[in-house]
Amino acid sequence: MILETLLIINSLLGCGGCQESHSMTLEEKTNIRHQIVEMFDHAYGNYMKHAYPADELMPLSCKGRVRGQEPNRGDIDDSLGKFSLTLIDTLDTLVVLNKLDEFEDAVRKTVRDVRFDNDVVVSVFETNIRVLGGLLGGHVMADLLRQRGERMQWYRDELLQMATELGHRLLPAFNTTSGLPYPKVNLRYGVFNPLSRTGTESDTCTACAGTMILEFAALSRLSGQSVFEEHARKTLDVLWEKRQKGSDLVGTVINIHNGEWIRRDSGVGAGIDSYYEYLMKAYILLGDNVFLQRFNIHYSAIMKYISQPPLLLNVHMHNPTMSVRSWMDSLLAFFPGLQVLTGDLKPAIETHEMLYQVTKQHKFLPEAFTTEFRVHWGQHLLRPEFAESTYYLFKATGDPYYLRVGQSIVEKLNAYARVPCGFAAVQDVRTGTHEDRMDSFFLAEMFKYLYLMFSEKSQLPIDIDDYVFTTEAHLLPVSLSITQTPVQPNVTEAAPAAQDDDLFTHSCPSTETLFPNNPSFAKTIRDGYKYLTGVGRAFNSLPVREIELPLHDNSMESVEFLKSMGISLTSLKEMTVGDAKKEQKGVFRVKLVAEVRQTPEEEEEEVVPHAVQLISPPFLGRTVLAAGPAKFGMDLTKQEHGVKGRIVKASPFNACGPVENAAELKDCVALALRGDCMFAVKARWLQHAGAIGVIFIDHREGSNSEETPLFQMVGDGDSTDDITLPLVFLFSREGAVLTAALEEHHNVDVLLLPQDRQLGHDKTQKPISMNIKLRLAEEGELEETAAGGPTLEFVLEGEDEFREQQQVCSRAATEGRTEPCSADSAQSLNSKTEPDAHP
């Protein structure tokens, strides 16, 4: 199985002493594990003391949140059903943390106190993953302890019976013509009862409908009632059928009655996330190949359109080359963990490192952040997805670096989220203000992943590799795959045949192909993304082996987007054949090769060449470097005299973070190196430091304006109205001229301006154009009208007369005369027309 394979990877790559800077002693791990247990006790103890039997703890108020007694929070409150949500969600966490006495007590309380016959409308999705999943995870743990003969001898499957009851209370939501469930259900009255106060909804999110199969199939196989698994399989069939066939992507919101897409943006974050997760995990749990086939097809589409390492972007499902927003949400942080299960470790490391850099910049992962890693929504709800992916990466690589990441999560929770009555969500990571909220998933997931990360297998009461984690981190045994129920299997029709060279055809990773036996493998990948948010110095990547891939896209949107990421596209006609490739096992770089045909609108928009003119001695304007403009910042074409200033090299040179030499840069033109972050990020840092202009220099050695067309720098998709200083771009060779001049003369003044306005540039007059109508005049007509105004006279002459005029002009030129030939001869030379010309 997957998890067994990960143990093999762990043995291959787990070299605690190989990276001494990140290594962690057994004593350190033990201390951190004890710290995690103490934190859990603080959170769970305060829930039991101040909130139980309420659904959630309000950690600032030190009381329970009871639905209807607190101000309504809209859809957020649909998780609450007056069924002691936090207690049920925490059941199997108590076992993982080896708190078996507390677990037995919690099970007794659940059986004694929790009831589901409540007149309350709840989210089908949240109730399934938190409550049904919690009951099933609790039952599996209770049954295991009972079989061992040590504890729970009184237990008679009460939690499974409660889960079955709850499953039946959720089933009315599936009574739709499509098979997609209603998003809400009344626990007592269902959907269609006049007293249900629900059933008017027409759409649901993809994740809401597609995240049922693990819990429902487990319930069917444990209870022997196939109806639950049948409904969950039908839902997955509908979503698969409704995918966009051209891109193999799904949208975010779908109509539950006709299956039409309501929101067509596609990503791996909020609204879709756990749909993909459940396809892969349904294969692991149930052993049904159809789910793996579907996942592989979706995954290929994700890696083709959505994954732009280290970013995961949202695109339009029908036009997947078009990015639909310039920010990412925190829920996508689970995806690197899923990629580890898939066996695609490299992009998992890349995206995880990006997320880690964001957490270092903002203390926590904001609910949403821009592609420049700025805060979009400042909330942090103590979500566990980043800790989840950190756990999976440590499990797969054995790299102690990820223990340090886990340690940082523990420290930040204690430093910034801990309050006297538990842990409080952060209202805004920029201010550190708290929100009176501690969601149940904090206890169900966060502490489970953190504890497992710092525990040896021998220290756990269960063999964790025997279980699959649900999206709420509840534990379902993989042995369910051999527990048969009379359920009609799903079929994926016309599934593309797997290619022999497809790395993702099989669920279990190939250690030989993907994970070379090299302790520095993960570090090599991470190092290229260590300074995304501007912390530290630029990293020079090692030589890599290139793979050429076609980019079948003629739309300029994708071209501009790739440019904004610092990727230049080269026409197929301009590509050199037979480039030498430097071998480095296990590391790949994709070289995008595109043939782009411009639309008529794009053909009309020309890049206005700009110039960097060196005007201080000894250059005095004689050295002019061709430069590219920017689509944002000051428009130099509207500045009569350009922008003049002394050049100063920015520190750090990549300008991806706070400028260290701001005092030196003030009122000067900054030099900055391209790469590591977007142009707009650099511009904001340099503008904040007081620079009056920026010259970006290409980091690709040998690039020059003679061989590469100039291009316009673009922003990040967000508003760049705040950037007001002028920006120009120099290729590497031109940039070397400028930096050499600075090193030799120290004080170098430059002028930034459009190329045709450079000092000393001959400004040739544009030829005056006139519309002239010609007609043949009657003989004598010109004499009559000559006095009426200016006229042009064209005389048609015979061939002999024309030759005679040519000879006169030739003799004049030979004799060195400076006066022109006669007006008649000049006009005749310049206006020779065909005999049949008409006006």
Side-chain angles (χ1 to χ4, degrees):
M1 295 305 297
I2 294 283
L3 297 175
E4 293 172 349
T5 305
L6 294 179
L7 292 178
I8 298 173
I9 301 165
N10 187 41
S11 65
L12 287 173
L13 299 180
C15 181
C18 295
Q19 299 180 43
E20 295 180 0
S21 61
H22 299 301
S23 62
M24 183 174 289
T25 65
L26 187 60
E27 182 181 4
E28 281 185 283
K29 289 181 64 175
T30 300
N31 290 336
I32 295 172
R33 186 172 65 255
H34 289 163
Q35 187 179 12
I36 293 167
V37 173
E38 186 279 328
M39 293 165 63
F40 172 84
D41 289 341
H42 180 66
Y44 180 71
N46 274 286
Y47 166 74
M48 296 303 295
K49 178 180 179 181
H50 298 293
Y52 181 79
D55 284 314
E56 288 180 350
L57 169 68
M58 299 173 67
L60 301 183
S61 304
C62 297
K63 65 178 184 179
R65 184 183 299 279
V66 179
R67 191 166 176 180
Q69 295 182 13
E70 302 296 331
N72 188 285
R73 301 178 298 171
D75 290 345
I76 298 173
D77 284 339
D78 290 340
S79 302
L80 313 179
K82 299 181 180 179
F83 38 35
S84 300
L85 171 64
T86 299
L87 179 69
I88 293 176
D89 219 1
T90 309
L91 288 175
D92 54 7
T93 304
L94 289 165
V95 176
V96 171
L97 270 62
N98 212 16
K99 292 185 168 295
L100 303 185
D101 290 337
E102 291 86 344
F103 171 72
E104 188 160 1
D105 181 63
V107 174
R108 288 186 185 276
K109 283 184 169 64
T110 301
V111 173
R112 183 190 69 202
D113 299 338
V114 175
R115 295 292 178 267
F116 296 122
D117 185 24
N118 303 326
D119 181 13
V120 60
V121 175
V122 297
S123 162
V124 174
F125 165 73
E126 297 288 358
T127 304
N128 174 63
I129 65 172
R130 299 201 205 187
V131 185
L132 183 58
L135 291 170
L136 291 171
H139 164 70
V140 169
M141 294 296 103
D143 187 51
L144 176 66
L145 294 175
R146 180 180 60 184
Q147 290 179 29
R148 289 179 179 175
E150 301 168 0
R151 295 175 178 273
M152 306 296 296
Q153 296 305 303
W154 59 269
Y155 181 68
R156 296 294 180 268
D157 298 340
E158 287 88 348
L159 294 180
L160 177 59
Q161 294 163 18
M162 294 176 69
T164 305
E165 178 195 345
L166 180 60
H168 281 289
R169 292 184 183 276
L170 295 178
L171 281 181
F174 291 83
N175 189 13
T176 62
T177 54
S178 69
L180 297 171
Y182 280 93
K184 300 178 183 181
V185 67
N186 187 300
L187 289 177
R188 177 177 294 172
Y189 297 113
V191 173
F192 298 108
N193 190 295
L195 301 176
S196 66
R197 304 189 309 282
T198 188
T200 59
E201 299 85 8
S202 61
D203 49 64
T204 190
C205 73
T206 302
C208 300
T211 311
M212 307 293 294
I213 185 65
L214 294 188
E215 292 83 1
F216 268 39
L219 180 58
S220 281
R221 299 191 181 206
L222 290 170
S223 69
Q225 300 181 30
S226 62
V227 62
F228 306 109
E229 186 171 342
E230 288 170 354
H231 279 295
R233 283 179 175 267
K234 173 65 182 305
T235 296
L236 290 179
D237 282 345
V238 175
L239 292 174
W240 172 253
E241 178 60 30
K242 294 300 180 179
R243 78 191 187 285
Q244 211 290 317
K245 303 300 194 300
S247 67
D248 286 319
L249 295 174
V250 292
T252 306
V253 177
I254 191 170
N255 186 291
I256 60 175
H257 301 297
N258 57 27
E260 296 294 323
W261 291 105
I262 306 301
R263 280 185 51 189
R264 294 175 171 82
D265 50 314
S266 186
V268 296
I272 301 178
D273 49 0
S274 47
Y275 163 66
Y276 293 132
E277 177 186 5
Y278 269 39
L279 283 177
M280 165 55 79
K281 291 183 176 179
Y283 164 70
I284 300 171
L285 182 69
L286 307 177
D288 192 334
N289 241 5
V290 70
F291 297 122
L292 179 62
Q293 293 173 6
R294 292 179 183 180
F295 174 82
N296 284 333
I297 293 169
H298 280 314
Y299 187 75
S300 295
I302 291 168
M303 298 308 291
K304 181 177 181 180
Y305 300 116
I306 293 170
S307 176
Q308 302 285 346
L311 308 180
L312 291 166
L313 305 171
N314 273 45
V315 301
H316 195 290
M317 62 182 291
H318 291 89
N319 183 11
T321 60
M322 179 186 296
S323 179
V324 297
R325 68 188 191 198
S326 60
W327 51 271
M328 297 170 278
D329 63 78
S330 63
L331 286 171
L332 61 74
F334 90 99
F335 197 69
L338 183 60
Q339 289 180 305
V340 171
L341 284 182
T342 307
D344 198 5
L345 194 58
K346 183 175 183 291
I349 293 170
E350 292 171 328
T351 298
H352 179 273
E353 183 61 25
M354 177 269 291
L355 296 169
Y356 183 39
Q357 296 302 319
V358 174
T359 64
K360 289 202 291 188
Q361 183 175 1
H362 301 295
K363 298 184 179 68
F364 296 106
L365 204 59
E367 190 71 353
F369 52 95
T370 70
T371 52
E372 287 185 342
F373 316 115
R374 291 179 294 148
V375 173
H376 185 71
W377 296 331
Q379 269 187 317
H380 174 70
L381 303 178
L382 308 180
R383 291 197 187 278
E385 284 77 16
F386 178 64
E388 174 185 357
S389 287
T390 305
Y391 163 72
Y392 276 113
L393 277 167
F394 176 66
K395 184 87 169 177
T397 66
D399 189 339
Y401 175 87
Y402 296 109
L403 293 179
R404 294 299 179 190
V405 177
Q407 182 182 15
S408 74
I409 297 172
V410 171
E411 291 172 349
K412 287 172 181 174
L413 285 172
N414 266 326
Y416 304 109
R418 187 168 183 143
V419 294
C421 288
F423 290 82
V426 179
Q427 194 169 49
D428 194 319
V429 297
R430 292 164 290 196
T431 63
T433 53
H434 287 133
E435 190 173 342
D436 202 3
R437 175 175 180 181
M438 189 181 83
D439 286 84
S440 66
F441 52 67
F442 182 59
L443 288 164
E445 301 184 65
M446 180 70 82
F447 291 109
K448 196 174 290 171
Y449 288 123
L450 290 176
Y451 185 84
L452 288 170
M453 204 182 311
F454 291 95
S455 300
E456 305 298 325
K457 287 193 68 175
S458 59
Q459 295 168 330
L460 299 175
I462 60 174
D463 186 347
I464 200 67
D465 294 329
D466 289 341
Y467 301 89
V468 173
F469 289 105
T470 69
T471 196
E472 192 77 3
H474 292 305
L475 302 174
L476 299 177
V478 294
S479 59
L480 288 177
S481 61
I482 59 174
T483 304
Q484 299 298 326
T485 56
V487 175
Q488 184 69 27
N490 300 60
V491 177
T492 298
E493 296 181 1
Q499 300 298 317
D500 292 337
D501 58 351
D502 182 359
L503 298 179
F504 314 116
T505 297
H506 306 289
S507 64
C508 294
S510 164
T511 55
E512 292 182 3
T513 304
L514 295 173
F515 311 140
N517 190 13
N518 180 354
S520 64
F521 174 68
K523 181 180 185 301
T524 302
I525 298 170
R526 282 196 307 268
D527 280 347
Y529 299 92
K530 289 178 70 173
Y531 309 111
L532 282 169
T533 60
V535 179
R537 300 188 305 276
F539 173 78
N540 295 321
S541 58
L542 296 173
V544 294
R545 182 153 58 103
E546 296 180 350
I547 303 174
E548 295 187 7
L549 297 174
L551 179 65
H552 300 294
D553 181 20
N554 295 326
S555 69
M556 294 306 294
E557 292 91 343
S558 59
V559 176
E560 291 298 329
F561 174 74
L562 289 172
K563 283 182 180 179
S564 73
M565 295 180 66
I567 301 174
S568 297
L569 302 184
T570 305
S571 169
L572 289 174
K573 297 180 291 185
E574 299 172 10
M575 288 300 301
T576 56
V577 181
D579 289 343
K581 294 179 172 60
K582 299 179 181 179
E583 298 291 336
Q584 180 172 328
K585 186 177 180 182
V587 182
F588 300 88
R589 181 177 68 198
V590 173
K591 182 178 183 182
L592 298 176
V593 182
E595 185 165 18
V596 180
R597 292 189 296 273
Q598 291 181 323
T599 62
E601 292 80 5
E602 290 289 341
E603 290 172 350
E604 293 173 5
E605 182 183 358
E606 297 182 0
V607 177
V608 177
H610 281 46
V612 176
Q613 188 168 18
L614 283 64
I615 57 177
S616 56
F619 307 101
L620 302 175
R622 292 188 293 270
T623 301
V624 182
L625 306 173
K631 281 191 173 182
F632 60 101
M634 180 187 293
D635 186 353
L636 286 170
T637 63
K638 298 179 180 178
Q639 305 298 314
E640 185 177 357
H641 302 296
V643 171
K644 172 186 174 182
R646 183 169 63 91
I647 57 173
V648 174
K649 190 175 179 180
S651 178
F653 196 20
N654 69 350
C656 286
V659 177
E660 298 168 2
N661 60 336
E664 188 183 357
L665 263 179
K666 185 172 175 57
D667 298 326
C668 294
V669 175
L671 290 185
L673 186 68
R674 178 187 188 182
D676 297 320
C677 65
M678 295 186 177
F679 290 120
V681 175
K682 302 172 187 285
R684 288 190 177 94
W685 283 118
L686 294 168
Q687 179 173 283
H688 181 70
I692 60 171
V694 182
I695 301 171
F696 294 114
I697 298 176
D698 196 2
H699 63 311
R700 296 175 302 131
E701 188 175 348
S703 65
N704 60 87
S705 60
E706 294 179 0
E707 299 176 0
T708 308
L710 292 175
F711 66 90
Q712 296 186 82
M713 295 178 287
V714 297
D716 59 349
D718 244 345
S719 172
T720 51
D721 293 342
D722 58 317
I723 301 174
T724 57
L725 74 177
L727 314 165
V728 297
F729 178 85
L730 294 179
F731 287 109
S732 174
R733 192 177 298 173
E734 286 80 1
V737 173
L738 191 60
T739 53
L742 183 61
E743 290 175 4
E744 183 177 356
H745 301 283
H746 303 294
N747 290 324
V748 177
D749 292 340
V750 296
L751 187 62
L752 311 181
L753 73 177
Q755 198 174 67
D756 61 358
R757 297 185 194 171
Q758 60 187 271
L759 296 180
H761 184 67
D762 292 333
K763 296 178 174 56
T764 55
Q765 293 288 336
K766 290 185 178 180
I768 299 175
S769 59
M770 295 179 292
N771 292 323
I772 303 175
K773 292 183 179 180
L774 301 179
R775 68 180 178 84
L776 297 178
E778 299 292 337
E779 186 175 358
E781 183 180 352
L782 289 176
E783 287 79 356
E784 297 175 2
T785 60
T791 60
L792 292 176
E793 183 177 350
F794 296 85
V795 180
L796 297 178
E797 298 178 339
E799 187 175 349
D800 294 338
E801 293 178 90
F802 177 65
R803 286 177 180 167
E804 183 179 341
Q805 291 287 354
Q806 281 185 310
Q807 292 170 358
V808 171
C809 290
S810 299
R811 286 197 303 272
T814 304
E815 295 169 3
R817 286 158 45 184
T818 57
E819 65 271 16
C821 297
S822 67
D824 287 347
S825 65
Q827 288 174 353
S828 64
L829 286 170
N830 291 325
S831 59
K832 187 171 183 290
T833 59
E834 294 296 327
D836 61 346
H838 294 283

